[in-house]
């Protein structure tokens, strides 16, 4: 199980906007999908969080777009946990065009760990924290 998650995809026509490149909003969807996939790979699918009455909610996103992505290109989305606090976690992302290695965008999401029923923040239990390796900035991909 990898400390850094990786999802590869081929840009579909549904992701393309009127400007002929991937719509900015699509990156947010891919971030969520990559985060959920990585969590599940580390033993924490959504069903397991639900079983303990917990969920992650998003406090904020930040994305810096560097290059456009286009229909049919293969992209890798890398994701990792950069920080854990009492009830929050910072997850980072990097979007890479595979044929050239060009970084298309970098991003991060601040997640809040919450009670599934009340929506109130709760402490992240050790068993959740232990499943993830926090990647030091010097070791980021």
């Amino acid at each position: 199980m990898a400390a850094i998650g990786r999802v590869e995809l081929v840009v579909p026509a549904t992701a393309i906007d009127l400007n002929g490149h991937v719509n900015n909003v699509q990156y947010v969807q891919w971030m969520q999908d990559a985060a959920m996939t990585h969590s599940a790979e580390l033993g924490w699918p959504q069903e397991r969080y639900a079983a303990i009455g917990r969920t992650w909610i998003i406090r904020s996103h930040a994305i810096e777009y560097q290059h456009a992505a286009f229909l049919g290109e293969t992209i890798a989305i890398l994701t990792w946990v950069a920080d854990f606090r009492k009830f929050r976690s910072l997850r980072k992302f990097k979007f890479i065009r595979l044929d050239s290695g060009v970084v298309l965008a970098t991003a991060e999401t601040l997640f809040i760990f919450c009670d599934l029923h009340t929506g109130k923040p709760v402490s992240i239990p050790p068993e959740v924290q232990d499943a993830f390796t926090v990647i030091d900035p010097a070791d980021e991909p």
Side-chain angles (χ1 to χ4, degrees), residues 34-56:
M36 291 174 67
T37 297
H38 187 225
S39 184
E41 288 172 350
L42 296 175
W44 282 94
Q46 290 303 111
E47 298 80 13
R48 188 170 179 195
Y49 290 115
I52 63 168
R54 301 293 184 254
T55 190
W56 291 100

Side-chain angles (χ1 to χ4, degrees), residues 31-32 35-36 56-61 79 87-93 108-113 124:
M31 289 163 62
Q32 177 178 301
M36 291 174 67
W56 291 100
I57 62 168
I58 294 170
R59 174 80 184 260
S60 63
H61 291 294
T79 184
F87 56 83
R88 27 173 99 190
S89 179
L90 182 67
R91 180 179 275 278
K92 293 188 176 182
F93 303 85
E108 60 185 42
T109 298
L110 181 59
F111 285 94
I112 307 296
F113 200 70
I124 303 168

Side-chain angles (χ1 to χ4, degrees), residues 43-114:
W44 282 94
Q46 290 303 111
E47 298 80 13
R48 188 170 179 195
Y49 290 115
I52 63 168
R54 301 293 184 254
T55 190
W56 291 100
I57 62 168
I58 294 170
R59 174 80 184 260
S60 63
H61 291 294
I63 304 173
E64 183 174 338
Y65 302 100
Q66 297 166 3
H67 295 280
F70 301 97
L71 177 66
E73 290 184 323
T74 303
I75 295 174
I77 304 162
L78 306 180
T79 184
W80 61 94
V81 173
D83 186 40
F84 272 122
R85 301 285 172 120
K86 182 178 180 178
F87 56 83
R88 27 173 99 190
S89 179
L90 182 67
R91 180 179 275 278
K92 293 188 176 182
F93 303 85
K94 186 178 279 187
F95 296 83
I96 301 168
R97 182 180 295 125
L98 282 185
D99 68 354
S100 65
V102 168
V103 175
L104 302 170
T106 56
E108 60 185 42
T109 298
L110 181 59
F111 285 94
I112 307 296
F113 200 70
C114 291

Side-chain angles (χ1 to χ4, degrees), residues 1-38:
M1 293 185 238
I4 298 173
R6 181 184 179 101
V7 173
E8 292 184 11
L9 60 88
V10 176
V11 175
T14 56
I16 304 302
D17 64 16
L18 295 175
N19 296 317
H21 57 69
V22 173
N23 187 295
N24 295 345
V25 175
Q26 183 63 60
Y27 285 86
V28 175
Q29 182 65 57
W30 288 340
M31 289 163 62
Q32 177 178 301
D33 295 346
M36 291 174 67
T37 297
H38 187 225

